[in-house]
Amino acid sequence: MAEIRALPLRDAEILLVEDDALLRKRLGSFLERAGASVTPTGTLAEARRCLASLPFDYALIDINLPDGESLSLLRDGAFSQNTGVVIMTAEGGVKLAVEAMKLGAGDYLSKPFDPEELPLVFSRLKRATQSARLGEHERQSRIESSFFFDASMAAIKAQLERIIAADKRLGEGLPAVLIEGETGTGKTAIARWLHHNGPRAGAALVEVNCSALPENLVESELFGHERGAFTDARSARLGLFEAASGGTLFLDEVNSLALPVQAKLLTAIEDRKIRRVGANKPIAVDVRIIAASNKDIRPLVQSGAFREDLFHRLDLLRIRLPALRERGDAIVALANHLLTGLARRYRVKGATIDADGRQRLLAYPWPGNVRELAHEIERSLILGGESALSFAHLPLGLVEGAAAHSVNQKSTDWLNPAYQFPPEGFNLETATNRLVQQAVDQAEGNVSAAARLLGVSRDTVRYRLNLRKQEGLQ
C-alpha cells in the first residue's frame, strides 16, 4: 500500500498523442508505472474523439501529426480548462511551442527528453490549475485572520493549541473540526487561526459560505463538474475540494446544506474521494475539513434536518465560541484591540475609548457580536471626528435602558458587570441555582439543552431546579 501511495501520478487520466509507435509505447509504459491511466493515440482525429468523450487531467501531445498540427486542438478549445496540456516538439520547434503556450498549453518538452521529467512537469501544471481556481474563489473579508485571545478566551486558546499539537503529531488524515457560535462571534477567524498555525499553513485555505451557494449549483461548486453535466456546463470545472487538496476547506454555515449534499459531503470525508457532477471516476483529495454553524446542530439532527452520521464525522473536535455578551468585562480589552488595528488603517493617532464609551460597551447587548463591535468602532473613527470614542451613535433606547438597569442593579444583581460583593457576604448556592434556572429559561425548558449550555449533567440541572423550588424562587 505504501508503494501505491508514493506513485506520483496515481489515478491521473492522461491523453498521450504521439505518432511514433515506439516512443508512444515507451512513454505510455512509464506513465502507467507512475500510477496514471493512459489513453494512447497516434492521430489528430483520434485525439479529438477521445477529448469529446473522456475527461483528462493531462494531455501529452506531439505538435506534428500525420493528419495535421495539434495546435488546432488548442485553437478550437478542445481541452477542458482542468486539463494540463504539455506539448512535445522536435529540435528547432521552439517557435511552435511558444505559440502553443500562448494558446493555453501549460508547458513544453523538447525531444528527446527523459520520461522521468514528466511527473515534475505534470505536478507543476496541477499546482497552476489549483492556483487559478483559488484565485477565482478568493474574496475580500473584513474579519482579521488573527484572533484576539483575552482572559475570557483562555479555555478556547488551550483547546486550539491541543488541536494543533494533535495535527502535528498526525501529519496527515487530519480530523474534522466543528466550530459553533452565533453569527459574528469569530468562527471564520478561528478557522484561519487553526489553518495558519497548523502543519498545512503553507497550503491552500479555501473558504466557502454554504448558505450563499445557490441550491442548484452547490454540488458543482464543491465537487466540480464535467463538460455537459448540465445545461450551462460548457466546460469542465474544478471543485473547491480539488482546489483545497493538500490544504484546508472551511465550510461556513454547514448547517444550511441540503440533505443530498450532506450525503456527498459525508462520502468525501469518509472515502477522501469526490466525484464531479456528471463523472463516473472518483478523484482522490487530501483535505482538512473545518465546518462552522451558527446554530446548535444537535436539534437539527433530532428533527431530521441534518444527517446524524455527518454530524458525528464533523463533531470529532468541537469548539464553541461564546457570544460577546457572555464575555463580561473582556469586551473592553477586545474593543481596544480592534481599535488599534482600525486606527492604524484610518491613520487616526492616539485613538482611545473614554469612560462613557466603556460604559456603553458593557451595557449594550451586542446581537451582532464581535462583527458588530468592529463595525461600531469603525463607524466612530470615520464619523466621530474625535480621538476619544464614546459611541454616542449606538441606539439610545437599548443603551440607556441597559445602562439604567446597570445602575439600578449594581448592588443587587451579580449578573451585571458593575456588581460589587456586599460586605455581609455572598450566597453562592442561591446564585448557582439562579444561573441554572436562567440556562433552562434560555433553553425554553429543555433540561438536556440547558445541561449542555452549562457543561454539566442533566441530573445536576434537575437537582438545582428542585433546590430552587424549595427556596420559593420559582
Side-chain angles (χ1 to χ4, degrees), residues 414-415 426-441 454 460-474:
W414 56 266
L415 283 173
F426 182 82
N427 191 324
L428 183 59
E429 281 295 309
T430 299
T432 301
N433 294 339
R434 180 188 169 198
L435 185 64
V436 170
Q437 182 63 58
Q438 183 165 331
V440 172
D441 292 342
L454 295 165
T460 299
V461 174
R462 293 192 184 98
Y463 170 73
R464 288 292 173 180
L465 289 175
N466 289 332
L467 287 180
R468 187 166 173 80
K469 289 179 181 179
Q470 293 170 14
E471 292 170 356
L473 296 176
Q474 297 181 2

Side-chain angles (χ1 to χ4, degrees), residues 394-457:
L394 284 174
L396 293 177
L398 284 171
V399 174
E400 290 177 351
H405 178 77
S406 173
V407 173
N408 294 337
Q409 300 294 322
K410 179 175 180 179
S411 62
T412 60
D413 191 351
W414 56 266
L415 283 173
N416 191 276
Y419 176 79
Q420 293 183 353
F421 287 96
E424 64 272 18
F426 182 82
N427 191 324
L428 183 59
E429 281 295 309
T430 299
T432 301
N433 294 339
R434 180 188 169 198
L435 185 64
V436 170
Q437 182 63 58
Q438 183 165 331
V440 172
D441 292 342
Q442 181 178 325
E444 299 179 348
N446 187 318
V447 173
S448 296
R452 287 195 292 269
L453 291 174
L454 295 165
V456 299
S457 68

Side-chain angles (χ1 to χ4, degrees), residues 141-172:
S141 173
R142 299 179 66 110
I143 302 176
E144 297 291 336
S145 60
S146 59
F147 194 92
F148 181 63
F149 294 98
D150 54 51
S152 70
M153 300 296 287
I156 299 291
K157 179 68 176 299
Q159 186 178 5
L160 291 171
E161 288 175 343
R162 286 196 297 271
I163 292 175
I164 294 298
D167 287 351
K168 292 179 178 178
R169 186 172 64 252
L170 293 172
E172 59 182 26

Side-chain angles (χ1 to χ4, degrees), residues 53-181:
S53 60
L54 296 171
F56 293 98
D57 299 299
Y58 308 105
L60 182 61
I61 299 180
D62 191 15
I63 286 184
N64 296 307
L65 298 168
D67 54 345
E69 197 174 71
S70 63
L71 294 188
S72 63
L73 297 172
L74 291 164
R75 295 192 189 98
D76 298 342
F79 296 104
S80 160
Q81 65 178 9
N82 296 332
T83 302
V85 181
V86 177
I87 296 295
M88 297 181 288
T89 178
E91 187 177 353
V94 175
K95 183 177 180 180
L96 286 174
V98 172
E99 183 181 352
M101 300 283 282
K102 291 179 180 178
L103 290 170
D107 209 338
Y108 75 92
L109 292 167
S110 296
K111 294 180 180 178
F113 61 85
D114 188 343
E116 295 283 350
E117 296 180 47
L118 291 173
L120 181 60
V121 171
F122 288 142
S123 178
R124 273 201 308 266
L125 291 186
K126 182 177 182 179
R127 288 196 298 271
T129 303
Q130 286 180 313
S131 296
R133 181 65 176 94
L134 289 172
E136 175 189 344
H137 177 72
E138 284 177 358
R139 55 186 169 83
Q140 292 293 327
S141 173
R142 299 179 66 110
I143 302 176
E144 297 291 336
S145 60
S146 59
F147 194 92
F148 181 63
F149 294 98
D150 54 51
S152 70
M153 300 296 287
I156 299 291
K157 179 68 176 299
Q159 186 178 5
L160 291 171
E161 288 175 343
R162 286 196 297 271
I163 292 175
I164 294 298
D167 287 351
K168 292 179 178 178
R169 186 172 64 252
L170 293 172
E172 59 182 26
L174 303 184
V177 177
L178 177 62
I179 307 172
E180 291 184 336

